[in-house]
Amino acid sequence: MANYSEEEIRAFGLVKEALPKHVAVIMDGNGRWAKAKKLSRSAGHRAGVDRLRGIIRLSSDLGITSLTLYAFSTENWKRPSDEVGTLMALLIEYFTKEIDELFANNVRIRIIGAYEEFAPTVRNVIERAMKRTENNTGLNLNIALNYGSRAEILRAANLAMRQAIAQGKSEITADMLEQNLYTAGQPEVDLVIRTSGEQRFSNFLLYQISYAEFLFPKEYWPDFSDEAFIDALRVYQSRSRRFGGLEGNA
Ligand code: IPE
Ligand code: IPE
Ligand code: MG
């Protein structure tokens, strides 16, 4: 893993200690990107997938602990079946082509979401990617697939409730709930980026983003360059996070 030195990070206008530990990205705007270029929505999704390599590589090189990417929501099943089919085919292609490089870069892949509901062809490739990288110690790459925050919280509450019953308790604790979220054990989300100018969360990580900073860059996801990502990190570092306390006291 080619981690940047503090000096190299400073050359980007960033401070290593103040980088977010967990960045979450709502990769939005593939369709509008394609429309603006008179291309098919499929071409937009393909261009979107092509952006993954750069953002993942940069996150890994900067030493960010966790990167969570929203790739397919529980609501995206509402799209026409040919578009859903294209997205599934792209997923299979992505994992098949990229797994060696991700592994070589010490990236640990986790799928968050009800991926067990996908067709076996998709599930197999996903499970193989998770298994292959499970002992890696670099960037935690969480890919949200068939992910919805409400479903995640409900699932976690049910799992925690079962544990409580097994232990003869009548209440669950915040710890028990958090331990049953898909992101258990990872740092809280520090920064959420939603591309394409839309300003909503679309059922993404509602529990984990309680104290996150938000950025809504206008670029469509396929145009969200490495430079735009660095810019976003710079803006993040210029924000004052108070966590309910007072300046400098957080
Ligand atoms: C985001 O791009 C990718 C997915 C939701 C899978 P969109 O497909 O939502 O693009 P727009 O919002 O239509 O431009
Ligand atoms: C959110 O984008 C989901 C992903 C980026 C995967 P959508 O494009 O599906 O969200 P809405 O429909 O605009 O809220
Ligand atoms: Mg969209």
Side-chain angles (χ1 to χ4, degrees):
M1 196 174 48
N3 264 326
Y4 288 129
S5 66
E6 263 187 67
E7 201 113 295
E8 285 166 309
I9 291 176
R10 215 170 311 123
F12 287 124
L14 295 168
V15 180
K16 188 171 169 57
E17 314 79 68
L19 283 170
K21 288 193 173 59
H22 191 161
V23 179
V25 186
I26 304 176
M27 307 181 291
D28 199 11
N30 295 348
R32 280 162 286 160
W33 178 90
K35 193 170 182 196
K37 292 188 147 43
K38 300 200 166 31
L39 296 169
S40 65
R41 290 184 62 86
S42 299
H45 291 311
R46 184 169 283 283
V49 172
D50 286 343
R51 269 287 61 227
L52 293 175
R53 199 177 301 122
I55 300 294
I56 293 169
R57 192 63 205 249
L58 200 47
S59 300
S60 167
D61 285 345
L62 287 168
I64 288 171
T65 307
S66 292
L67 175 68
T68 301
L69 302 175
Y70 206 3
F72 191 88
S73 75
T74 46
E75 288 74 31
N76 287 147
W77 295 109
K78 291 180 195 161
R79 298 191 180 196
S81 62
D82 64 330
E83 178 163 347
V84 172
T86 298
L87 289 167
M88 296 301 138
L90 281 170
L91 255 170
I92 295 175
E93 186 184 323
Y94 174 75
F95 281 114
T96 311
K97 276 195 184 157
E98 297 293 321
I99 187 67
D100 287 341
E101 187 176 335
L102 290 165
F103 181 80
N105 287 320
N106 201 20
V107 172
R108 177 168 181 179
I109 299 169
R110 285 195 178 88
I111 304 303
I112 67 168
Y115 69 86
E116 64 280 358
E117 289 171 15
F118 286 125
T121 41
V122 183
R123 233 170 44 217
N124 288 344
V125 76
I126 285 172
E127 281 167 355
R128 243 183 294 135
M130 284 198 284
K131 185 95 196 119
R132 171 115 189 260
T133 61
E134 72 185 352
N135 295 318
N136 283 356
T137 54
L139 176 72
N140 286 301
L141 175 63
N142 306 308
I143 304 189
L145 289 174
N146 196 18
Y147 176 86
S149 191
R150 289 175 178 172
E152 178 190 31
I153 293 169
L154 186 62
R155 173 183 174 273
N158 275 314
L159 291 170
M161 178 187 70
R162 265 176 243 146
Q163 289 162 356
I165 291 170
Q167 295 163 11
K169 295 179 186 149
S170 60
E171 280 182 15
I172 65 169
T173 62
D175 256 3
M176 288 165 78
L177 186 73
E178 285 164 23
Q179 285 314 311
N180 284 295
L181 293 173
Y182 291 119
T183 51
Q186 299 188 50
E188 259 190 51
V189 175
D190 298 300
L191 169 64
V192 181
I193 299 170
R194 182 175 189 147
T195 57
S196 86
E198 303 290 353
Q199 302 194 8
R200 59 177 168 273
F201 305 128
S202 303
N203 204 9
F204 190 45
L205 302 174
L206 300 179
Y207 190 95
Q208 295 91 331
I209 60 178
S210 300
Y211 267 102
E213 296 293 323
F214 295 104
L215 284 172
F216 302 103
K218 62 179 183 331
E219 293 98 334
Y220 297 136
W221 171 250
D223 286 333
F224 192 69
S225 60
D226 288 4
E227 291 70 34
F229 186 57
I230 303 254
D231 270 350
L233 295 174
R234 268 193 227 112
V235 174
Y236 167 83
Q237 293 201 330
S238 72
R239 299 264 180 99
S240 162
R241 299 181 80 193
R242 292 187 285 279
F243 300 96
L246 299 179
E247 191 87 47
N249 249 345

